[in-house]
Amino acid sequence: MIRVILFEDNKNMRESLSLYLASSDGIWFAGAFPDARNAITSVKKFKPDVILMDIQMPQVSGIEATIEIKKVYPNVKILIQTIYEDDDKVFQAICAGANGYIIKSTKPENYVNAIKDVFVGGSHLSPIIAAKVLAMFQHQFVRIQPTYIELTQREKEILTCMVKGMSYKMIADACDIKFSTVCTHIKNIYEKLHVNSAPEAVVKALEMKLV
Amino acid sequence: MIRVILFEDNKNMRESLSLYLASSDGIWFAGAFPDARNAITSVKKFKPDVILMDIQMPQVSGIEATIEIKKVYPNVKILIQTIYEDDDKVFQAICAGANGYIIKSTKPENYVNAIKDVFVGGSHLSPIIAAKVLAMFQHQFVRIQPTYIELTQREKEILTCMVKGMSYKMIADACDIKFSTVCTHIKNIYEKLHVNSAPEAVVKALEMKLV
DNA sequence: GGCTAAATCCCTAATTTTAGGGAGTGTACT
DNA sequence: AGTACACTCCCTAAAATTAGGGATTTAGCC
């Protein structure tokens, strides 16, 4: 049996969800709360395996509650359930440590599926949310290089050293070349990247993921 | 009806999946292929809405095929189905533009659910995969600040200017303070961040997401 | 062979940054 | 009333970076 508690400010929603969960196989519904002000004590008292958490609640938001609970009970699974599907909320929820994110419009059996998924260590994301997460993920990692910049092997090597915060002298040592050669390379790098200083070059290198 | 094609090198798997999909409601199964060498021409010919793609295939991997197909047909939905659940494969698949990732052990009806999810613009991730994605996501974005560093408002402002590649003089102008004050602030910043140069400070600022 | 690009080296001089030091103002908290 | 801290400013001098210029060697390509 999976012990579940619910945080949800909307009375109707809270009562109907409670009823549904209480009558679901494999779920032991331990309690429902209209706000998350005493979330920690509730968790301590009811020892849930999975928490269903609304985002929009008076006093303490579901995001804040998630952060607090995860700090003290990192193994409790938290399933966000909300009507919000904007990037920011999704982003915050994930960063807070949520184990799943389902939108409220889903069929009630999806709640049970999601609870079972997160209980065994998986995550459950509604398709719309999953799409958002993947999009954010790609945006983060896929290299966008509109202006294709060609740095030579040596130049990349030296740029990498600069990113590490090394001085010209240290770079010369590390690459086993003369100080003056480092100067030359860096001059060329600046020209190729259209920058005029080390910090600028470093920022550009990082954002273009050249190194 | 959702037009679906399948890339899968394992004969048994290919045939049983084909059978199952061909008999599923709402799905028009258009074809199955043992490798992805002519993926583009197959897509052109069969005009699928959704492609089921294995990762491990001879000649051309499912990841490579995904990249190629997405380049030409960005609107075709690609659903990765594989036995691999290691971080690297998941990561690559997502970066390649996959719209979903399901592991082969799932029940056949999950295939149909996933196909329907991606067809309407959502994404579908198996719980284990979703958990991995969320973990990677958190790892990327959650600020790990073991050494809690407090920069004052002004210091953050100046650090931001440095990240933009501005010189001391430009910063002084921008913040409407004297050059010497900029020096003082930067000295303090270096002390707080335990660095000795502008590039280092910039890198640290970015990786600690202080700015 | 001639050409090009990468990589190496050197010089000078201007400019910028960094490392010391000290010092005054205002605000907020105790 | 006193203290702490953020913010401001100044000075000097050493160190590092940037901007010019030019030069050689090696390797690959036509």
Side-chain angles (χ1 to χ4, degrees):
Chain A
M1 293 290 271
I2 308 171
R3 296 178 62 91
V4 177
I5 64 173
L6 165 68
F7 290 93
E8 165 67 62
D9 63 326
N10 181 281
K11 191 163 179 285
N12 263 334
M13 191 74 193
R14 187 171 66 248
E15 289 177 352
S16 51
L17 255 180
S18 299
L19 256 175
Y20 182 78
L21 292 174
S23 66
S24 295
D25 279 349
I27 289 179
W28 202 92
F29 187 69
F33 310 90
D35 66 75
R37 267 177 301 179
N38 302 309
I40 297 287
T41 49
S42 302
V43 173
K44 184 182 296 192
K45 189 171 165 195
F46 292 97
K47 302 204 177 306
D49 300 304
V50 178
I51 299 171
L52 260 179
M53 180 76 75
D54 186 23
I55 287 189
Q56 169 58 42
M57 284 185 293
Q59 329 287 343
V60 179
S61 83
I63 306 273
E64 291 163 332
T66 299
I67 294 173
E68 293 306 316
I69 294 171
K70 280 286 181 180
K71 254 190 229 160
V72 189
Y73 302 98
N75 292 323
V76 174
K77 310 298 180 187
I78 300 183
L79 195 48
I80 303 287
Q81 48 108 15
T82 180
I83 50 166
Y84 295 103
E85 47 183 85
D86 56 292
D87 284 13
D88 194 47
K89 286 280 186 300
V90 174
F91 182 84
Q92 283 179 41
I94 295 175
C95 290
N99 298 94
Y101 196 115
I102 55 182
I103 50 177
K104 281 187 178 171
S105 59
T106 51
K107 289 169 289 183
E109 72 234 42
N110 279 349
Y111 280 86
V112 178
N113 288 336
I115 288 170
K116 289 178 178 168
D117 282 343
V118 301
F119 178 65
V120 296
S123 286
H124 189 104
L125 302 172
S126 291
I128 297 172
I129 303 303
K132 279 182 193 301
V133 172
L134 292 195
M136 284 192 254
F137 206 90
Q138 280 179 52
H139 185 261
Q140 256 305 298
F141 292 104
V142 176
R143 320 181 163 203
I144 9 112
Q145 277 167 304
T147 47
Y148 190 64
I149 289 176
E150 287 258 33
L151 292 186
T152 68
Q153 204 50 49
R154 206 46 151 176
E155 285 166 353
K156 278 184 209 166
E157 196 181 333
I158 287 171
L159 192 51
T160 308
C161 291
M162 293 177 74
V163 169
K164 289 184 194 151
M166 297 164 73
S167 69
Y168 285 28
K169 213 172 293 185
M170 291 162 75
I171 297 174
D173 271 6
C175 298
D176 199 31
I177 53 178
K178 284 285 181 301
F179 177 83
S180 56
T181 309
V182 176
C183 286
T184 307
H185 284 305
I186 290 182
K187 261 186 284 188
N188 295 332
I189 291 171
Y190 285 7
E191 199 164 333
K192 285 187 183 175
L193 295 186
H194 304 296
V195 299
N196 309 296
S197 71
E200 263 185 295
V202 165
V203 172
K204 205 142 194 170
L206 290 177
E207 76 187 21
M208 300 184 73
K209 300 182 203 297
L210 289 174
V211 293
Chain B
M1 293 289 268
I2 308 171
R3 296 178 64 91
V4 177
I5 64 173
L6 166 67
F7 291 93
E8 166 67 63
D9 63 327
N10 182 278
K11 193 164 178 288
N12 263 337
M13 191 73 193
R14 188 171 65 249
E15 290 177 353
S16 52
L17 255 180
S18 297
L19 257 175
Y20 183 78
L21 292 174
S23 66
S24 295
D25 279 349
I27 288 180
W28 203 92
F29 188 67
F33 310 90
D35 67 73
R37 269 178 300 179
N38 301 310
I40 298 288
T41 51
S42 302
V43 173
K44 185 182 294 190
K45 189 170 164 194
F46 293 97
K47 302 204 174 310
D49 300 306
V50 177
I51 299 171
L52 260 179
M53 180 77 75
D54 187 22
I55 287 189
Q56 169 60 40
M57 285 186 291
Q59 327 287 344
V60 179
S61 83
I63 306 274
E64 291 162 333
T66 300
I67 295 173
E68 293 307 315
I69 294 170
K70 279 286 183 180
K71 255 189 227 162
V72 188
Y73 301 98
N75 291 323
V76 174
K77 310 299 181 186
I78 299 182
L79 195 48
I80 302 288
Q81 47 111 12
T82 180
I83 51 167
Y84 296 104
E85 49 183 86
D86 56 291
D87 283 13
D88 195 46
K89 286 279 186 298
V90 175
F91 182 83
Q92 283 179 40
I94 295 175
C95 289
N99 299 94
Y101 196 115
I102 55 181
I103 49 176
K104 281 188 179 171
S105 60
T106 52
K107 289 169 287 182
E109 72 234 41
N110 278 349
Y111 280 86
V112 178
N113 288 336
I115 288 170
K116 289 178 178 170
D117 282 342
V118 300
F119 178 66
V120 297
S123 287
H124 189 103
L125 302 171
S126 291
I128 297 172
I129 304 302
K132 278 182 193 302
V133 171
L134 292 195
M136 284 192 254
F137 205 92
Q138 278 179 53
H139 185 260
Q140 256 304 301
F141 292 105
V142 175
R143 328 184 157 194
I144 8 109
Q145 278 167 304
T147 47
Y148 190 63
I149 290 177
E150 286 254 35
L151 292 186
T152 68
Q153 204 52 46
R154 207 45 151 176
E155 286 165 349
K156 279 185 208 166
E157 196 180 335
I158 286 170
L159 193 51
T160 307
C161 291
M162 293 176 74
V163 170
K164 289 184 193 152
M166 296 164 72
S167 70
Y168 285 29
K169 213 172 292 182
M170 291 162 75
I171 296 174
D173 271 8
C175 299
D176 200 30
I177 53 178
K178 283 286 181 299
F179 177 83
S180 56
T181 310
V182 176
C183 286
T184 307
H185 283 305
I186 291 183
K187 262 186 286 190
N188 294 334
I189 292 172
Y190 285 5
E191 198 166 335
K192 286 187 182 176
L193 296 186
H194 305 295
V195 297
N196 309 297
S197 71
E200 264 185 296
V202 165
V203 172
K204 204 143 196 171
L206 290 178
E207 77 187 18
M208 300 184 73
K209 300 181 205 295
L210 289 173
V211 293

